[in-house]
Amino acid sequence: MPEEAVTTLRAELERFGRAEEGFALLEVFLEVARPRLGTVVLDPVGLHLPEGMTDDRAVVQGLIEELERAPREKGRVVERAYDMDDEQARWDYVRLAYSSSQATVWSRRGRTTYFEASGRSRATYWLPDSLKSNYFEALTSCGWAIPPDWLTAVAKRPKPWWKRGGR
């Protein structure tokens, strides 16, 4: 059975009028995708508040400080996982994902990345058609505007496994 076509959507905070809009879109995505989600992690080292963040700035700074105080294994950076069935954990993850140097949302099967924020300046969704459709419906019903370029983004079929790679 061929894999679903996947749409790539750019999601850097600078694309939105306010950082909180980007947070809201990620929050809706995590709620919609929850039955399909596998591991949801971020790198807790060197967290930094996004420049455009206005609401909840002090609360998120408190989360960052709490993570910085947590003991770490010497010489090893361990990604921090978040339970998406826990509403508070989802809220924390959404705000910290854009503060982290690396945050990733994996599919249940662990082979597909659904969302990644990296280097505090890049963020991308990779959505299979069925998930994209559900996500866009949820955004619309919540009253959030879908970025125009997301509406016109073209889905592409993944390459077969034997054609993937750097060769």
Side-chain angles (χ1 to χ4, degrees):
M1 178 174 196
E3 292 183 60
E4 276 186 271
V6 174
T7 304
T8 302
L9 307 171
R10 306 300 314 168
E12 290 80 12
L13 290 181
E14 299 80 41
R15 302 186 43 141
F16 307 109
R18 297 179 54 229
E20 285 73 18
E21 184 180 347
F23 298 154
L25 298 181
L26 179 54
E27 213 159 6
V28 171
F29 170 73
L30 292 172
E31 181 61 35
V32 168
R34 207 166 61 187
R36 297 180 178 210
L37 296 181
T39 308
V40 176
V41 296
L42 62 80
D43 180 350
V45 176
L47 295 167
H48 180 74
L49 285 175
E51 293 298 321
M53 184 178 193
T54 55
D55 299 344
D56 303 320
R57 194 169 183 81
V59 174
V60 176
Q61 184 61 47
L63 289 172
I64 290 171
E65 290 168 5
E66 182 181 319
L67 283 172
E68 288 173 345
R69 285 191 300 270
R72 291 195 185 95
E73 291 182 38
K74 193 161 187 111
R76 234 179 126 212
V77 176
V78 179
E79 292 178 325
R80 179 171 172 133
Y82 287 80
D83 177 5
M84 292 297 102
D85 289 330
D86 178 317
E87 188 175 336
Q88 184 63 50
R90 271 195 321 274
W91 190 94
D92 292 353
Y93 182 81
V94 165
R95 272 102 192 136
L96 292 172
Y98 281 102
S99 300
S100 177
S101 62
Q102 184 74 30
T104 310
V105 176
W106 295 92
S107 70
R108 187 170 298 271
R109 291 187 291 165
R111 294 186 304 175
T112 304
T113 304
Y114 286 148
F115 173 80
E116 183 176 68
S118 62
R120 294 185 197 88
S121 62
R122 296 186 56 112
T124 307
Y125 290 95
W126 293 276
L127 304 181
D129 281 344
S130 60
L131 182 54
K132 181 176 89 172
S133 174
N134 294 342
Y135 179 43
F136 283 10
E137 286 174 22
L139 288 174
T140 302
S141 70
C142 290
W144 289 104
I146 300 169
D149 63 317
W150 286 15
L151 293 170
T152 59
V154 177
K156 296 180 182 170
R157 291 245 175 245
K159 290 180 183 179
W161 65 267
W162 64 87
K163 290 187 178 180
R164 295 179 190 164
R167 296 177 212 253

